[in-house]
Amino acid sequence: MMTPALLSVALLLLVLLPGAPARRHCVTPLSLLVSDSVTNTPNQTYSTCVVYRGILLGGMRRLQETNKKFQFTYTEDANYGPYLQSVNDLEGSTEDRTYWELLVNKGNETIRPDVGIGCYIPSENDQIILNFNKY
Ligand code: B12
């Protein structure tokens, strides 16, 4: 039988264990649209969510874990953090000057955030747009 003190330690350990944040309660719903301005392939829409003040990357990971039809990869930039490299097997390429652009439809306007997927904190009902584009 666990004493209350032992029980508290066990609960604390559970919270502090690596990976614990990923299991926190998801409170901000958002939709994610994958579009392609280069080849004009049809759009795909997904639903996901982030924890309180969570970053977009967390919501994308959650979606990837639960929906096999959504896959993405990123590289780590030493200065700016995660750079979205591919979505659903379509890769950005320096040679072709293509990349995955991050846009956000706020209902009345579409913005182009000045940070990437590792820094953007979605607001409730944001429509995140991952748009394959040229530069
Ligand atoms: C050119 C450029 C791009 C090009 C890079 C392609 C290329 N091969 O040249 C393209 C158009 C692809 C691009 C995209 C984006 N960019 Co940009 N980009 C720049 C810019 C103008 C110059 C970078 C550069 O060439 N530096 C010189 C080289 C020698 O240094 P470097 O470290 O090797 O440069 C690399 C990184 O900067 C990286 N990179 C470029 N943008 C971004 C953005 C993020 C989030 C990451 C992780 C890496 C990264 O690509 C460069 C070439 O490999 C800078 C602003 C500036 N004046 O520095 C913004 C800048 C780096 N970009 C920025 C942003 C926000 C983006 C986008 C998120 C915009 C969007 N909403 O879609 C996307 C990235 C989306 C994704 N896929 O993750 C921000 C980053 C700020 C931050 N703290 O996150 C900057 C600082 C501009 C700003 N708004 O102030 N970008």
Side-chain angles (χ1 to χ4, degrees), residues 2-13:
M2 256 196 205
T3 65
L6 259 179
L7 193 65
S8 323
V9 172
L11 282 174
L12 189 70
L13 271 176

Side-chain angles (χ1 to χ4, degrees), residues 2-82:
M2 256 196 205
T3 65
L6 259 179
L7 193 65
S8 323
V9 172
L11 282 174
L12 189 70
L13 271 176
L14 259 182
V15 172
L16 296 178
L17 273 176
R23 288 190 292 272
R24 283 183 50 165
H25 192 50
C26 210
V27 289
T28 308
L30 45 111
S31 81
L32 193 146
L33 182 104
V34 175
S35 64
D36 183 342
S37 299
V38 180
T39 64
N40 284 318
T41 45
N43 295 345
Q44 288 139 298
T45 320
Y46 307 88
S47 299
T48 184
C49 57
V50 290
V51 298
Y52 174 70
R53 299 277 295 157
I55 55 172
L56 173 58
L57 179 58
M60 290 170 64
R61 284 194 180 119
R62 187 169 276 108
L63 178 58
Q64 178 163 253
E65 279 162 18
T66 53
N67 186 338
K68 285 193 170 56
K69 290 186 177 156
F70 178 77
Q71 301 285 320
F72 73 99
T73 62
Y74 64 89
T75 54
E76 197 69 38
D77 181 275
N79 298 300
Y80 299 117

Side-chain angles (χ1 to χ4, degrees), residues 77 79-84 94 99-102 112-116 119 135:
D77 181 275
N79 298 300
Y80 299 117
Y83 179 84
L84 184 60
T94 317
Y99 77 113
W100 281 98
E101 181 181 31
L102 170 61
R112 187 174 185 273
D114 65 357
V115 292
C119 291
Y135 58 86

Side-chain angles (χ1 to χ4, degrees), residues 81-93:
Y83 179 84
L84 184 60
Q85 190 60 48
S86 77
V87 177
N88 296 341
D89 289 329
L90 180 59
E91 286 220 25
S93 139

Side-chain angles (χ1 to χ4, degrees), residues 32-33 56-57 60 82 84 99-105 110-122 126-133:
L32 193 146
L33 182 104
L56 173 58
L57 179 58
M60 290 170 64
L84 184 60
Y99 77 113
W100 281 98
E101 181 181 31
L102 170 61
L103 302 169
V104 182
N105 177 357
T110 298
I111 60 159
R112 187 174 185 273
D114 65 357
V115 292
I117 55 170
C119 291
Y120 184 73
I121 298 176
D126 268 3
Q127 182 187 43
I128 304 296
I129 304 169
L130 304 179
N131 180 43
F132 194 63
N133 211 346

